């Protein structure tokens, strides 16, 4: 279930040379450009997103994106989010609170982050996609999303900020109107980038608080 080297290489190229020939321009909001491609098998769209996080460095941005414990602090849709191990494999379980009247969804997926130095530019690449794990069967009352991918590629934008590329597809299943999915893409993706930017600015304080709490625990143990 591991990711191939060429998958990371392809993601790196997208940051500077977007491959959007099969995509249509969807919307631009708050400096975020979104392109989409229709998938006939599901009747849904997959998205490619290009944007910047001003005043946020790429290293911190990568740490915030991959820190599951911190994600619970800043992402209000998270119900449960954790790493788990099954044999020699490692995965992530993620349960999301969907707004009423929709049922909650959960995801079981693999994720890997690598760093590259290309043409004098340091790049962080995180790839994720749904994967089967016997130890995480579907739960009653929660819709299992088993067709999901999300990649994030980030690097410095040369102006104390971060440029980012995201490739995203999610089949949420269930009876969700197409207009609602389109609305969620238009507002949710730029909203996520904005919320993540705020979270990046708060990350140093979070780390200091976590270290202080750990130090206190060691002193009393």
């Amino acid at each position: 279930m591991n990711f191939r080297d060429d998958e990371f290489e392809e993601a790196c190229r997208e940051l500077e040379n977007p491959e959007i020939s099969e995509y249509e321009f969807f919307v631009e909001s708050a400096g975020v450009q979104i392109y989409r491609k229709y998938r006939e098998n599901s009747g849904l769209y997959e998205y490619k997103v290009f944007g910047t996080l001003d005043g946020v460095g790429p290293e911190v941005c990568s740490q915030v994106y991959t820190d599951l414990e911190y994600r619970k602090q800043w992402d209000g849709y998270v119900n449960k989010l954790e790493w788990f191990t099954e044999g020699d494999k490692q995965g992530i379980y993620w349960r999301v609170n969907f707004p009423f009247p929709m049922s909650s969804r959960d995801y079981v997926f693999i994720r890997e982050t690598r760093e590259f130095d290309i043409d004098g530019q340091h790049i962080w690449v995180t790839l994720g996609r749904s994967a089967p794990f016997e130890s995480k069967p579907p739960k009653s009352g929660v819709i299992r999303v088993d067709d999901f991918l999300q990649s994030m590629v980030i690097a410095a934008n040369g102006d104390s900020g971060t440029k980012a590329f995201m490739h995203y597809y999610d089949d949420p299943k269930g009876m969700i109107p197409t207009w609602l999915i389109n609305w969620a893409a238009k507002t949710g993706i730029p909203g996520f980038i904005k919320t993540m930017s705020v979270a990046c600015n708060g990350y140093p304080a979070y780390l200091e608080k976590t270290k202080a709490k750990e130090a206190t625990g060691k002193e009393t143990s």
Side-chain angles (χ1 to χ4, degrees):
M1 294 192 295
N2 294 333
F3 296 95
R4 304 185 311 272
D5 292 344
D6 64 294
E7 292 180 273
F8 281 95
E9 293 164 3
E10 181 181 346
C12 281
R13 288 194 294 269
E14 293 264 25
L15 190 64
E16 298 295 341
N17 299 291
E19 180 49 64
I20 52 175
S21 59
E22 297 181 359
Y23 288 71
E24 64 175 356
F25 177 74
F26 181 44
V27 69
E28 181 171 358
S29 176
V32 177
Q33 292 185 331
I34 304 175
Y35 295 81
R36 67 182 185 179
K37 181 173 71 172
Y38 185 70
R39 284 194 176 189
E40 292 187 2
N41 61 329
S42 65
L44 300 171
Y45 288 92
E46 63 179 278
Y47 300 92
K48 288 189 175 182
V49 182
F50 303 88
T52 58
L53 291 84
D54 295 326
V56 175
E59 183 173 8
V60 170
C61 184
S62 178
Q63 291 171 343
V64 168
Y65 183 71
T66 56
D67 189 329
L68 301 190
E69 289 301 315
Y70 187 48
R71 180 73 175 260
K72 298 174 188 178
Q73 304 272 330
W74 61 268
D75 188 341
Y77 290 102
V78 171
N79 177 286
K80 190 172 184 178
L81 183 60
E82 62 187 10
W83 284 99
F84 67 90
T85 301
E86 181 181 288
D88 60 352
K89 301 178 294 184
Q90 194 171 40
I92 295 176
Y93 176 79
W94 180 29
R95 180 170 172 177
V96 181
N97 292 326
F98 272 51
F100 180 84
M102 293 183 291
S103 300
S104 295
R105 266 73 175 165
D106 67 0
Y107 303 72
V108 179
F109 62 101
I110 57 173
R111 191 170 75 180
E112 182 181 351
T113 299
R114 297 185 193 177
E115 298 180 34
F116 300 86
D117 287 298
I118 301 175
D119 297 331
Q121 184 173 231
H122 197 76
I123 302 173
W124 289 257
V125 183
T126 299
L127 303 182
R129 64 166 173 254
S130 54
F133 285 88
E134 292 183 359
S135 61
K136 296 294 180 181
K139 300 175 180 288
S140 176
V142 182
I143 295 176
R144 171 61 51 86
V145 178
D146 52 15
D147 191 4
F148 159 78
L149 68 85
Q150 185 178 68
S151 62
M152 174 77 86
V153 185
I154 56 177
N157 69 351
D159 190 28
S160 71
T162 296
K163 54 185 175 183
F165 159 71
M166 182 186 293
H167 184 197
Y168 183 79
Y169 175 76
D170 181 345
D171 183 352
K173 294 185 176 180
M175 299 300 292
I176 301 179
T178 302
W179 69 264
L180 183 56
I181 295 176
N182 289 336
W183 175 83
K186 281 184 177 181
T187 61
I189 295 175
F192 173 79
I193 297 294
K194 183 178 180 180
T195 302
M196 185 173 165
S197 181
V198 173
C200 288
N201 288 321
Y203 194 54
Y206 166 78
L207 291 179
E208 286 298 321
K209 185 177 180 179
T210 300
K211 289 179 182 177
K213 188 179 296 185
E214 291 175 352
T216 302
K218 290 178 180 178
E219 291 172 1
T220 57
S221 61

